[in-house]
Amino acid sequence: MAEAVWSVGKVAKRCGINVSTLHFYEQQGLIHSWRNTGNQRRYKPEVLRRISVIKAAQKIGVSLEEIKQAFESLPNNRTPTVEDWQQLSKNWQQMLDGRIAYLQKLRDNLSGCIGCGCLSMTRCPLYNPDDILAESGSGAVLLDQAEQRARLDQ
């Protein structure tokens, strides 16, 4: 029996996304197609699982680059299996835990600190005496550093 092939329209409709989104995912290396003799894109049905993983990961805040790296970590860049999804989601859960902890700290300190940009040099002498953070860059330097630490702690 011949292997099923799906048109771009069928995949887009089945996944609930625009055809342009499929083209974008393909440009980003997240999904793959081939061209038939009429030069039309064709997909294997397993592309639905890849797109489902992409959409689920995006909903929890995983970037397309992080999704691409996860796909590339699979043997032969295969479509994720149920077991693969378990491992990917476990890794992403750790990342989310770090982001949640960072956001909770941010929420709890929001009224007193903007991460040293600084609203009040007199209220922030512990974090930024004599405006030493100006050497680190402009804006909310401490918030940028805290976010970077949270990502590294993943």
Side-chain angles (χ1 to χ4, degrees):
M1 186 162 127
E3 186 173 2
V5 294
W6 290 21
S7 69
V8 67
K10 183 173 182 177
V11 172
K13 183 176 181 180
R14 178 62 176 81
C15 292
I17 60 176
N18 294 324
V19 168
S20 60
T21 302
L22 283 174
H23 295 170
F24 178 74
Y25 287 167
E26 194 165 350
Q27 288 173 336
Q28 299 304 306
L30 296 165
I31 62 173
H32 306 285
S33 69
W34 72 93
R35 302 283 182 150
N36 67 8
T37 56
N39 201 30
Q40 297 171 327
R41 282 185 170 94
R42 292 294 183 245
Y43 297 90
K44 294 181 180 179
E46 66 193 33
V47 76
L48 298 179
R49 179 172 287 169
R50 287 181 81 90
I51 294 169
S52 295
V53 169
I54 294 166
K55 290 175 68 174
Q58 283 185 299
K59 283 186 185 232
I60 60 171
V62 179
S63 72
L64 288 178
E65 184 57 36
E66 291 166 322
I67 297 167
K68 182 178 179 181
Q69 289 171 4
F71 283 167
E72 288 173 348
S73 73
L74 300 174
N76 299 321
N77 202 21
R78 73 171 179 238
T79 296
T81 63
V82 173
E83 293 80 19
D84 293 331
W85 173 247
Q86 294 301 314
Q87 186 60 48
L88 293 175
S89 62
K90 181 180 176 183
N91 294 342
W92 289 334
Q93 185 176 16
Q94 292 171 348
M95 176 195 62
L96 286 173
D97 289 343
R99 286 183 184 169
I100 290 167
Y102 168 72
L103 288 171
Q104 287 173 330
K105 286 179 187 177
L106 179 62
R107 177 202 61 209
D108 295 345
N109 295 308
L110 192 59
S111 64
C113 179
I114 62 165
C116 265
C118 183
L119 282 179
S120 171
M121 299 303 280
T122 59
R123 288 189 66 196
C124 201
L126 295 175
Y127 295 112
N128 195 20
D130 300 320
D131 198 25
I132 59 171
L133 287 171
E135 297 171 11
S136 301
S138 61
V141 175
L142 291 178
L143 292 178
D144 292 340
Q145 291 172 355
E147 184 176 17
Q148 289 171 355
R149 278 193 306 275
R151 288 179 190 220
L152 290 174
D153 290 342
Q154 298 174 22

